[in-house]
Amino acid sequence: MKGNLRDFSGTQILNLVSLAKKTGTLGVERREGRAALVFQEGKLVYAAIGDADGSLASVLARDGRISKEQAAALAKRAERTGDKQLGLLLIQKGYVSQADIIKSIKKHALSAVNQFASWKEGQFAFEPDRPPDGNRITVPLDLENIIIQIARVQKRDAELEEEIPSLDVHLRFVERPNVSLRDLQLSKDEWRVLKFIKPENSIRMIAKSLGMTDRQIRRVIGSLREAGLVELVQARRREPLSSEERKQKRALVGRLINHLQGIGAE
């Protein structure tokens, strides 16, 4: 199985591998980076994507369980011993528990799956019966429910693009006299966006100020709209003047000029 993500989406590939309970490695090549997802009977057991190589040191550092400096030193040790031996050492020394390692690896795998499912372009090829490196720690991740959730999110993103086709529109607060913002359960990003809602700020300007992607800002605005807190402000379209209205406007300007000249003559 091989092709391009332009013709066969990441979600479709994941669904096929999961339903067919395939075993092997899915490799993806693209200009922005590459990925390698390894499956065992349809379950994801290992993932490397972009600069996240899936090594134990990298996974633990990204999850905040060890520092970047510690990860660099542990990565060198893992080159000699492998991740399995490194994991045992960390558990014995009391740095992390077995549960910590499993949780971090699953979190990394879930992030890799979501990232891969969002890719729109790239050459992919599935190599059957190609296992991961024997020294890697593999944690099976069932994809069935994850794929369903990804499909829902993608559908919602498509709806938001239709609801908010342009990011050059502005926002305004909806008057709700009986509601206090302090009583609302809002996310950190939603609070950040609310602080930037001003007449002079378009959605695009808010996104740029907060370092958000188009998808991220649409999701936040969509949530705020669903909560009834904000609404889009469409620019008023000026209707063209009729010939009679243009004639009246010229006459008014002429009278104003004559009046000002008369004042100056006095």
Side-chain angles (χ1 to χ4, degrees):
M1 179 175 67
K2 60 182 179 180
N4 194 295
L5 293 175
R6 291 193 302 265
D7 308 313
F8 207 49
S9 73
T11 306
Q12 289 174 318
I13 296 171
L14 292 172
N15 195 43
L16 175 60
V17 172
S18 177
L19 290 176
K21 299 186 182 301
K22 289 183 173 292
T23 296
T25 297
L26 175 68
V28 186
E29 296 283 345
R30 60 201 299 264
R31 285 179 298 178
E32 296 82 357
R34 62 178 60 184
L37 306 178
V38 186
F39 302 88
Q40 183 71 38
E41 296 183 353
K43 294 182 179 181
L44 182 69
V45 294
Y46 176 79
I49 188 164
D51 59 354
D53 61 7
S55 65
L56 181 58
S58 171
V59 167
L60 292 177
R62 287 175 177 274
D63 201 20
R65 299 190 185 276
I66 60 175
S67 67
K68 292 182 178 179
E69 292 74 17
Q70 289 173 320
L74 291 173
K76 291 182 179 179
R77 186 184 185 96
E79 290 177 359
R80 302 191 304 270
T81 65
D83 280 352
K84 291 181 180 179
Q85 289 298 320
L86 176 61
L88 288 174
L89 177 63
L90 292 174
I91 293 172
Q92 291 171 357
K93 295 292 186 180
Y95 289 107
V96 294
S97 66
Q98 182 180 13
D100 291 335
I101 291 176
I102 293 174
K103 186 176 180 180
S104 294
I105 291 176
K106 283 189 174 181
K107 184 177 179 180
H108 160 75
L110 182 59
S111 174
V113 167
N114 278 278
Q115 188 176 344
F116 166 69
S118 70
W119 288 357
K120 304 298 183 184
E121 188 274 336
Q123 296 290 333
F124 70 86
F126 186 85
E127 298 182 48
D129 302 318
R130 179 187 163 193
D133 187 325
N135 289 320
R136 297 296 190 187
I137 298 175
T138 58
V139 178
L141 185 66
D142 197 328
L143 295 177
E144 185 176 353
N145 291 330
I146 296 172
I147 293 170
I148 292 174
Q149 181 61 29
I150 290 174
R152 288 174 179 169
V153 171
Q154 290 179 337
K155 180 180 179 182
R156 180 54 182 153
D157 285 338
E159 292 173 348
L160 285 171
E161 286 193 26
E162 293 183 3
E163 295 173 11
I164 314 174
S166 172
L167 298 183
D168 294 315
V169 298
H170 295 245
L171 299 165
R172 66 184 171 200
F173 290 102
V174 176
E175 293 186 11
R176 299 181 64 184
N178 297 325
V179 176
S180 172
L181 286 178
R182 294 181 180 179
D183 298 331
L184 297 174
Q185 299 296 322
L186 300 178
S187 69
K188 180 180 178 181
D189 283 341
E190 289 168 344
W191 281 117
R192 292 170 66 207
V193 169
L194 285 176
K195 293 179 181 179
F196 276 83
I197 295 179
K198 300 176 182 179
E200 64 270 21
N201 288 343
S202 67
I203 296 177
R204 190 180 304 280
M205 293 167 64
I206 295 174
K208 184 176 181 180
S209 298
L210 297 176
M212 289 184 172
T213 64
D214 291 358
R215 181 183 293 113
Q216 289 171 330
I217 192 66
R218 279 192 172 94
R219 287 177 179 176
V220 174
I221 299 302
S223 296
L224 294 175
R225 292 180 71 200
E226 288 177 355
L229 296 177
V230 301
E231 60 184 1
L232 302 181
V233 180
Q234 301 291 345
R236 293 183 177 180
R237 185 179 177 181
R238 293 186 177 183
E239 296 294 334
L241 298 176
S242 65
S243 57
E244 182 61 28
E245 288 173 332
R246 290 197 298 270
K247 182 178 179 181
Q248 292 177 356
K249 186 175 182 179
R250 286 196 297 269
L252 177 61
V253 172
R255 290 196 297 271
L256 179 59
I257 292 174
N258 291 334
H259 178 69
L260 292 175
Q261 289 175 340
I263 295 175
E266 293 176 359

mmCIF file of all heavy atoms in Angstrom, residues 61-103:
data_model
loop_
_atom_site.group_PDB
_atom_site.id
_atom_site.type_symbol
_atom_site.label_atom_id
_atom_site.label_comp_id
_atom_site.label_asym_id
_atom_site.label_seq_id
_atom_site.Cartn_x
_atom_site.Cartn_y
_atom_site.Cartn_z
ATOM 1 N N ALA A 61 11.206 13.884 28.006
ATOM 2 C CA ALA A 61 11.503 15.321 28.038
ATOM 3 C C ALA A 61 10.311 16.128 27.543
ATOM 4 O O ALA A 61 9.957 17.166 28.128
ATOM 5 C CB ALA A 61 12.736 15.619 27.191
ATOM 6 N N ARG A 62 9.671 15.666 26.477
ATOM 7 C CA ARG A 62 8.519 16.381 25.941
ATOM 8 C C ARG A 62 7.339 16.369 26.906
ATOM 9 O O ARG A 62 6.503 17.262 26.885
ATOM 10 C CB ARG A 62 8.102 15.782 24.593
ATOM 11 C CG ARG A 62 9.046 16.111 23.451
ATOM 12 C CD ARG A 62 8.671 15.400 22.162
ATOM 13 N NE ARG A 62 9.546 15.786 21.073
ATOM 14 C CZ ARG A 62 9.364 16.855 20.300
ATOM 15 N NH1 ARG A 62 8.301 17.614 20.482
ATOM 16 N NH2 ARG A 62 10.206 17.150 19.334
ATOM 17 N N ASP A 63 7.291 15.348 27.744
ATOM 18 C CA ASP A 63 6.204 15.262 28.724
ATOM 19 C C ASP A 63 6.567 15.971 30.021
ATOM 20 O O ASP A 63 5.794 15.950 30.979
ATOM 21 C CB ASP A 63 5.871 13.789 29.003
ATOM 22 C CG ASP A 63 4.479 13.623 29.579
ATOM 23 O OD1 ASP A 63 3.645 14.534 29.420
ATOM 24 O OD2 ASP A 63 4.216 12.575 30.206
ATOM 25 N N GLY A 64 7.745 16.582 30.076
ATOM 26 C CA GLY A 64 8.153 17.339 31.251
ATOM 27 C C GLY A 64 8.613 16.493 32.427
ATOM 28 O O GLY A 64 8.725 17.001 33.550
ATOM 29 N N ARG A 65 8.901 15.231 32.196
ATOM 30 C CA ARG A 65 9.326 14.362 33.303
ATOM 31 C C ARG A 65 10.830 14.441 33.554
ATOM 32 O O ARG A 65 11.299 14.117 34.645
ATOM 33 C CB ARG A 65 8.900 12.917 33.035
ATOM 34 C CG ARG A 65 7.386 12.760 32.919
ATOM 35 C CD ARG A 65 6.974 11.311 32.898
ATOM 36 N NE ARG A 65 5.534 11.176 32.674
ATOM 37 C CZ ARG A 65 4.611 11.256 33.637
ATOM 38 N NH1 ARG A 65 4.996 11.466 34.888
ATOM 39 N NH2 ARG A 65 3.334 11.125 33.350
ATOM 40 N N ILE A 66 11.582 14.855 32.545
ATOM 41 C CA ILE A 66 13.013 15.100 32.711
ATOM 42 C C ILE A 66 13.350 16.380 31.954
ATOM 43 O O ILE A 66 12.586 16.827 31.085
ATOM 44 C CB ILE A 66 13.888 13.933 32.189
ATOM 45 C CG1 ILE A 66 13.641 13.711 30.695
ATOM 46 C CG2 ILE A 66 13.621 12.662 32.981
ATOM 47 C CD1 ILE A 66 14.556 12.660 30.080
ATOM 48 N N SER A 67 14.494 16.981 32.265
ATOM 49 C CA SER A 67 14.908 18.210 31.586
ATOM 50 C C SER A 67 15.538 17.897 30.234
ATOM 51 O O SER A 67 15.899 16.747 29.947
ATOM 52 C CB SER A 67 15.907 18.976 32.458
ATOM 53 O OG SER A 67 17.126 18.243 32.558
ATOM 54 N N LYS A 68 15.697 18.923 29.415
ATOM 55 C CA LYS A 68 16.337 18.749 28.109
ATOM 56 C C LYS A 68 17.797 18.321 28.282
ATOM 57 O O LYS A 68 18.318 17.534 27.489
ATOM 58 C CB LYS A 68 16.263 20.052 27.305
ATOM 59 C CG LYS A 68 14.851 20.417 26.867
ATOM 60 C CD LYS A 68 14.854 21.680 26.027
ATOM 61 C CE LYS A 68 13.450 22.030 25.554
ATOM 62 N NZ LYS A 68 13.429 23.275 24.749
ATOM 63 N N GLU A 69 18.438 18.859 29.321
ATOM 64 C CA GLU A 69 19.828 18.494 29.579
ATOM 65 C C GLU A 69 19.933 17.011 29.960
ATOM 66 O O GLU A 69 20.829 16.295 29.495
ATOM 67 C CB GLU A 69 20.410 19.364 30.694
ATOM 68 C CG GLU A 69 20.586 20.840 30.325
ATOM 69 C CD GLU A 69 19.271 21.600 30.275
ATOM 70 O OE1 GLU A 69 18.259 21.093 30.832
ATOM 71 O OE2 GLU A 69 19.243 22.693 29.677
ATOM 72 N N GLN A 70 18.998 16.565 30.815
ATOM 73 C CA GLN A 70 18.989 15.150 31.189
ATOM 74 C C GLN A 70 18.703 14.267 29.978
ATOM 75 O O GLN A 70 19.305 13.202 29.813
ATOM 76 C CB GLN A 70 17.934 14.917 32.268
ATOM 77 C CG GLN A 70 18.283 15.500 33.630
ATOM 78 C CD GLN A 70 17.137 15.377 34.614
ATOM 79 O OE1 GLN A 70 15.973 15.561 34.262
ATOM 80 N NE2 GLN A 70 17.465 15.066 35.866
ATOM 81 N N ALA A 71 17.783 14.718 29.121
ATOM 82 C CA ALA A 71 17.426 13.943 27.932
ATOM 83 C C ALA A 71 18.628 13.774 27.008
ATOM 84 O O ALA A 71 18.852 12.693 26.441
ATOM 85 C CB ALA A 71 16.279 14.626 27.190
ATOM 86 N N ALA A 72 19.417 14.844 26.854
ATOM 87 C CA ALA A 72 20.591 14.773 25.984
ATOM 88 C C ALA A 72 21.592 13.741 26.503
ATOM 89 O O ALA A 72 22.160 12.950 25.738
ATOM 90 C CB ALA A 72 21.249 16.152 25.879
ATOM 91 N N ALA A 73 21.790 13.739 27.829
ATOM 92 C CA ALA A 73 22.734 12.788 28.415
ATOM 93 C C ALA A 73 22.200 11.356 28.332
ATOM 94 O O ALA A 73 22.939 10.416 28.023
ATOM 95 C CB ALA A 73 23.006 13.166 29.877
ATOM 96 N N LEU A 74 20.896 11.190 28.574
ATOM 97 C CA LEU A 74 20.289 9.854 28.536
ATOM 98 C C LEU A 74 20.247 9.301 27.115
ATOM 99 O O LEU A 74 20.341 8.091 26.916
ATOM 100 C CB LEU A 74 18.882 9.905 29.132
ATOM 101 C CG LEU A 74 18.804 10.167 30.640
ATOM 102 C CD1 LEU A 74 17.366 10.368 31.072
ATOM 103 C CD2 LEU A 74 19.443 9.016 31.412
ATOM 104 N N ALA A 75 20.086 10.188 26.132
ATOM 105 C CA ALA A 75 20.045 9.744 24.736
ATOM 106 C C ALA A 75 21.379 9.104 24.341
ATOM 107 O O ALA A 75 21.414 8.099 23.617
ATOM 108 C CB ALA A 75 19.716 10.915 23.823
ATOM 109 N N LYS A 76 22.471 9.680 24.824
ATOM 110 C CA LYS A 76 23.791 9.116 24.526
ATOM 111 C C LYS A 76 23.937 7.744 25.180
ATOM 112 O O LYS A 76 24.511 6.821 24.594
ATOM 113 C CB LYS A 76 24.882 10.057 25.024
ATOM 114 C CG LYS A 76 24.960 11.365 24.238
ATOM 115 C CD LYS A 76 26.092 12.228 24.742
ATOM 116 C CE LYS A 76 26.175 13.530 23.943
ATOM 117 N NZ LYS A 76 27.272 14.405 24.434
ATOM 118 N N ARG A 77 23.406 7.609 26.400
ATOM 119 C CA ARG A 77 23.481 6.320 27.081
ATOM 120 C C ARG A 77 22.630 5.285 26.351
ATOM 121 O O ARG A 77 23.015 4.116 26.223
ATOM 122 C CB ARG A 77 23.003 6.475 28.524
ATOM 123 C CG ARG A 77 23.176 5.214 29.361
ATOM 124 C CD ARG A 77 22.593 5.385 30.743
ATOM 125 N NE ARG A 77 22.869 4.219 31.557
ATOM 126 C CZ ARG A 77 23.875 4.094 32.408
ATOM 127 N NH1 ARG A 77 24.726 5.103 32.557
ATOM 128 N NH2 ARG A 77 24.035 2.986 33.104
ATOM 129 N N ALA A 78 21.454 5.727 25.847
ATOM 130 C CA ALA A 78 20.551 4.808 25.152
ATOM 131 C C ALA A 78 21.154 4.284 23.858
ATOM 132 O O ALA A 78 20.796 3.197 23.396
ATOM 133 C CB ALA A 78 19.218 5.507 24.865
ATOM 134 N N GLU A 79 22.068 5.051 23.253
ATOM 135 C CA GLU A 79 22.741 4.585 22.038
ATOM 136 C C GLU A 79 23.543 3.316 22.308
ATOM 137 O O GLU A 79 23.719 2.481 21.420
ATOM 138 C CB GLU A 79 23.656 5.689 21.498
ATOM 139 C CG GLU A 79 22.900 6.885 20.919
ATOM 140 C CD GLU A 79 23.845 7.976 20.463
ATOM 141 O OE1 GLU A 79 25.082 7.790 20.623
ATOM 142 O OE2 GLU A 79 23.367 9.011 19.963
ATOM 143 N N ARG A 80 23.995 3.171 23.555
ATOM 144 C CA ARG A 80 24.787 1.990 23.916
ATOM 145 C C ARG A 80 23.926 0.861 24.480
ATOM 146 O O ARG A 80 24.156 -0.307 24.180
ATOM 147 C CB ARG A 80 25.853 2.378 24.955
ATOM 148 C CG ARG A 80 26.801 3.459 24.510
ATOM 149 C CD ARG A 80 27.967 3.601 25.477
ATOM 150 N NE ARG A 80 27.519 3.844 26.842
ATOM 151 C CZ ARG A 80 27.308 5.048 27.354
ATOM 152 N NH1 ARG A 80 27.507 6.130 26.597
ATOM 153 N NH2 ARG A 80 26.923 5.193 28.608
ATOM 154 N N THR A 81 22.924 1.238 25.284
ATOM 155 C CA THR A 81 22.149 0.215 26.003
ATOM 156 C C THR A 81 20.773 -0.062 25.410
ATOM 157 O O THR A 81 20.216 -1.134 25.614
ATOM 158 C CB THR A 81 21.954 0.643 27.466
ATOM 159 O OG1 THR A 81 21.145 1.843 27.512
ATOM 160 C CG2 THR A 81 23.291 0.930 28.128
ATOM 161 N N GLY A 82 20.192 0.933 24.693
ATOM 162 C CA GLY A 82 18.828 0.807 24.195
ATOM 163 C C GLY A 82 17.831 1.370 25.191
ATOM 164 O O GLY A 82 18.137 1.541 26.382
ATOM 165 N N ASP A 83 16.623 1.652 24.722
ATOM 166 C CA ASP A 83 15.606 2.288 25.563
ATOM 167 C C ASP A 83 15.112 1.374 26.688
ATOM 168 O O ASP A 83 14.759 1.844 27.771
ATOM 169 C CB ASP A 83 14.406 2.725 24.704
ATOM 170 C CG ASP A 83 14.675 4.037 23.989
ATOM 171 O OD1 ASP A 83 15.711 4.660 24.278
ATOM 172 O OD2 ASP A 83 13.852 4.432 23.150
ATOM 173 N N LYS A 84 15.044 0.078 26.438
ATOM 174 C CA LYS A 84 14.531 -0.831 27.464
ATOM 175 C C LYS A 84 15.429 -0.835 28.696
ATOM 176 O O LYS A 84 14.947 -0.742 29.837
ATOM 177 C CB LYS A 84 14.387 -2.240 26.886
ATOM 178 C CG LYS A 84 13.284 -2.364 25.845
ATOM 179 C CD LYS A 84 13.173 -3.787 25.320
ATOM 180 C CE LYS A 84 12.054 -3.895 24.281
ATOM 181 N NZ LYS A 84 11.938 -5.266 23.740
ATOM 182 N N GLN A 85 16.724 -0.930 28.471
ATOM 183 C CA GLN A 85 17.666 -0.902 29.582
ATOM 184 C C GLN A 85 17.666 0.466 30.264
ATOM 185 O O GLN A 85 17.766 0.563 31.496
ATOM 186 C CB GLN A 85 19.075 -1.245 29.094
ATOM 187 C CG GLN A 85 19.261 -2.700 28.703
ATOM 188 C CD GLN A 85 19.032 -3.642 29.872
ATOM 189 O OE1 GLN A 85 19.439 -3.364 31.002
ATOM 190 N NE2 GLN A 85 18.357 -4.761 29.617
ATOM 191 N N LEU A 86 17.527 1.515 29.459
ATOM 192 C CA LEU A 86 17.482 2.861 30.021
ATOM 193 C C LEU A 86 16.250 3.026 30.911
ATOM 194 O O LEU A 86 16.332 3.608 31.998
ATOM 195 C CB LEU A 86 17.462 3.903 28.904
ATOM 196 C CG LEU A 86 17.325 5.364 29.349
ATOM 197 C CD1 LEU A 86 18.508 5.765 30.232
ATOM 198 C CD2 LEU A 86 17.230 6.291 28.135
ATOM 199 N N GLY A 87 15.128 2.515 30.443
ATOM 200 C CA GLY A 87 13.901 2.603 31.229
ATOM 201 C C GLY A 87 14.031 1.895 32.561
ATOM 202 O O GLY A 87 13.608 2.412 33.609
ATOM 203 N N LEU A 88 14.614 0.705 32.568
ATOM 204 C CA LEU A 88 14.822 -0.045 33.808
ATOM 205 C C LEU A 88 15.720 0.724 34.768
ATOM 206 O O LEU A 88 15.476 0.763 35.983
ATOM 207 C CB LEU A 88 15.435 -1.415 33.499
ATOM 208 C CG LEU A 88 14.514 -2.443 32.833
ATOM 209 C CD1 LEU A 88 15.300 -3.686 32.448
ATOM 210 C CD2 LEU A 88 13.358 -2.814 33.764
ATOM 211 N N LEU A 89 16.763 1.353 34.215
ATOM 212 C CA LEU A 89 17.682 2.127 35.040
ATOM 213 C C LEU A 89 16.967 3.307 35.696
ATOM 214 O O LEU A 89 17.143 3.566 36.902
ATOM 215 C CB LEU A 89 18.851 2.621 34.192
ATOM 216 C CG LEU A 89 19.871 3.520 34.913
ATOM 217 C CD1 LEU A 89 20.564 2.744 36.037
ATOM 218 C CD2 LEU A 89 20.896 4.060 33.918
ATOM 219 N N LEU A 90 16.151 4.028 34.914
ATOM 220 C CA LEU A 90 15.429 5.183 35.446
ATOM 221 C C LEU A 90 14.445 4.772 36.532
ATOM 222 O O LEU A 90 14.253 5.488 37.527
ATOM 223 C CB LEU A 90 14.693 5.906 34.307
ATOM 224 C CG LEU A 90 15.582 6.613 33.272
ATOM 225 C CD1 LEU A 90 14.733 7.163 32.138
ATOM 226 C CD2 LEU A 90 16.370 7.739 33.929
ATOM 227 N N ILE A 91 13.813 3.615 36.350
ATOM 228 C CA ILE A 91 12.869 3.116 37.358
ATOM 229 C C ILE A 91 13.620 2.728 38.630
ATOM 230 O O ILE A 91 13.205 3.064 39.753
ATOM 231 C CB ILE A 91 12.082 1.915 36.802
ATOM 232 C CG1 ILE A 91 11.156 2.359 35.668
ATOM 233 C CG2 ILE A 91 11.262 1.255 37.918
ATOM 234 C CD1 ILE A 91 10.483 1.212 34.931
ATOM 235 N N GLN A 92 14.744 2.052 38.482
ATOM 236 C CA GLN A 92 15.537 1.629 39.647
ATOM 237 C C GLN A 92 16.082 2.822 40.421
ATOM 238 O O GLN A 92 16.152 2.793 41.654
ATOM 239 C CB GLN A 92 16.686 0.735 39.181
ATOM 240 C CG GLN A 92 16.239 -0.627 38.655
ATOM 241 C CD GLN A 92 17.376 -1.393 38.005
ATOM 242 O OE1 GLN A 92 18.494 -0.897 37.881
ATOM 243 N NE2 GLN A 92 17.084 -2.626 37.575
ATOM 244 N N LYS A 93 16.462 3.875 39.704
ATOM 245 C CA LYS A 93 17.000 5.078 40.357
ATOM 246 C C LYS A 93 15.900 5.955 40.950
ATOM 247 O O LYS A 93 16.186 6.914 41.672
ATOM 248 C CB LYS A 93 17.817 5.899 39.354
ATOM 249 C CG LYS A 93 19.074 5.187 38.843
ATOM 250 C CD LYS A 93 20.114 5.030 39.935
ATOM 251 C CE LYS A 93 21.405 4.446 39.377
ATOM 252 N NZ LYS A 93 22.444 4.278 40.434
ATOM 253 N N GLY A 94 14.648 5.632 40.623
ATOM 254 C CA GLY A 94 13.534 6.393 41.178
ATOM 255 C C GLY A 94 13.208 7.682 40.455
ATOM 256 O O GLY A 94 12.450 8.512 40.961
ATOM 257 N N TYR A 95 13.752 7.871 39.247
ATOM 258 C CA TYR A 95 13.455 9.089 38.485
ATOM 259 C C TYR A 95 12.018 9.064 37.961
ATOM 260 O O TYR A 95 11.330 10.080 37.982
ATOM 261 C CB TYR A 95 14.442 9.244 37.315
ATOM 262 C CG TYR A 95 15.838 9.599 37.747
ATOM 263 C CD1 TYR A 95 16.862 8.664 37.681
ATOM 264 C CD2 TYR A 95 16.137 10.868 38.223
ATOM 265 C CE1 TYR A 95 18.151 8.980 38.074
ATOM 266 C CE2 TYR A 95 17.426 11.206 38.618
ATOM 267 C CZ TYR A 95 18.430 10.251 38.550
ATOM 268 O OH TYR A 95 19.699 10.574 38.948
ATOM 269 N N VAL A 96 11.593 7.917 37.470
ATOM 270 C CA VAL A 96 10.230 7.742 36.958
ATOM 271 C C VAL A 96 9.750 6.348 37.336
ATOM 272 O O VAL A 96 10.558 5.481 37.701
ATOM 273 C CB VAL A 96 10.154 7.906 35.419
ATOM 274 C CG1 VAL A 96 10.463 9.324 34.993
ATOM 275 C CG2 VAL A 96 11.090 6.909 34.735
ATOM 276 N N SER A 97 8.444 6.142 37.242
ATOM 277 C CA SER A 97 7.880 4.820 37.477
ATOM 278 C C SER A 97 7.537 4.173 36.137
ATOM 279 O O SER A 97 7.539 4.840 35.093
ATOM 280 C CB SER A 97 6.626 4.918 38.339
ATOM 281 O OG SER A 97 5.595 5.597 37.635
ATOM 282 N N GLN A 98 7.241 2.888 36.187
ATOM 283 C CA GLN A 98 6.821 2.205 34.965
ATOM 284 C C GLN A 98 5.551 2.838 34.412
ATOM 285 O O GLN A 98 5.406 3.013 33.199
ATOM 286 C CB GLN A 98 6.588 0.718 35.243
ATOM 287 C CG GLN A 98 6.199 -0.075 33.990
ATOM 288 C CD GLN A 98 5.971 -1.547 34.305
ATOM 289 O OE1 GLN A 98 5.877 -1.937 35.452
ATOM 290 N NE2 GLN A 98 5.891 -2.367 33.264
ATOM 291 N N ALA A 99 4.636 3.220 35.300
ATOM 292 C CA ALA A 99 3.386 3.869 34.878
ATOM 293 C C ALA A 99 3.672 5.207 34.200
ATOM 294 O O ALA A 99 2.991 5.577 33.231
ATOM 295 C CB ALA A 99 2.466 4.065 36.081
ATOM 296 N N ASP A 100 4.666 5.946 34.706
ATOM 297 C CA ASP A 100 5.045 7.231 34.096
ATOM 298 C C ASP A 100 5.509 7.021 32.660
ATOM 299 O O ASP A 100 5.137 7.777 31.748
ATOM 300 C CB ASP A 100 6.172 7.901 34.892
ATOM 301 C CG ASP A 100 5.716 8.379 36.259
ATOM 302 O OD1 ASP A 100 4.513 8.640 36.420
ATOM 303 O OD2 ASP A 100 6.570 8.475 37.162
ATOM 304 N N ILE A 101 6.344 6.016 32.462
ATOM 305 C CA ILE A 101 6.882 5.732 31.132
ATOM 306 C C ILE A 101 5.767 5.363 30.167
ATOM 307 O O ILE A 101 5.690 5.888 29.047
ATOM 308 C CB ILE A 101 7.931 4.595 31.202
ATOM 309 C CG1 ILE A 101 9.178 5.084 31.941
ATOM 310 C CG2 ILE A 101 8.297 4.113 29.794
ATOM 311 C CD1 ILE A 101 10.237 4.019 32.148
ATOM 312 N N ILE A 102 4.876 4.474 30.594
ATOM 313 C CA ILE A 102 3.763 4.043 29.736
ATOM 314 C C ILE A 102 2.866 5.228 29.385
ATOM 315 O O ILE A 102 2.464 5.413 28.233
ATOM 316 C CB ILE A 102 2.953 2.934 30.425
ATOM 317 C CG1 ILE A 102 3.799 1.662 30.540
ATOM 318 C CG2 ILE A 102 1.670 2.651 29.647
ATOM 319 C CD1 ILE A 102 3.141 0.560 31.328
ATOM 320 N N LYS A 103 2.562 6.053 30.398
ATOM 321 C CA LYS A 103 1.691 7.216 30.167
ATOM 322 C C LYS A 103 2.325 8.195 29.187
ATOM 323 O O LYS A 103 1.652 8.721 28.294
ATOM 324 C CB LYS A 103 1.405 7.907 31.495
ATOM 325 C CG LYS A 103 0.398 9.036 31.401
ATOM 326 C CD LYS A 103 0.082 9.615 32.773
ATOM 327 C CE LYS A 103 -0.937 10.740 32.664
ATOM 328 N NZ LYS A 103 -1.248 11.303 34.026
#
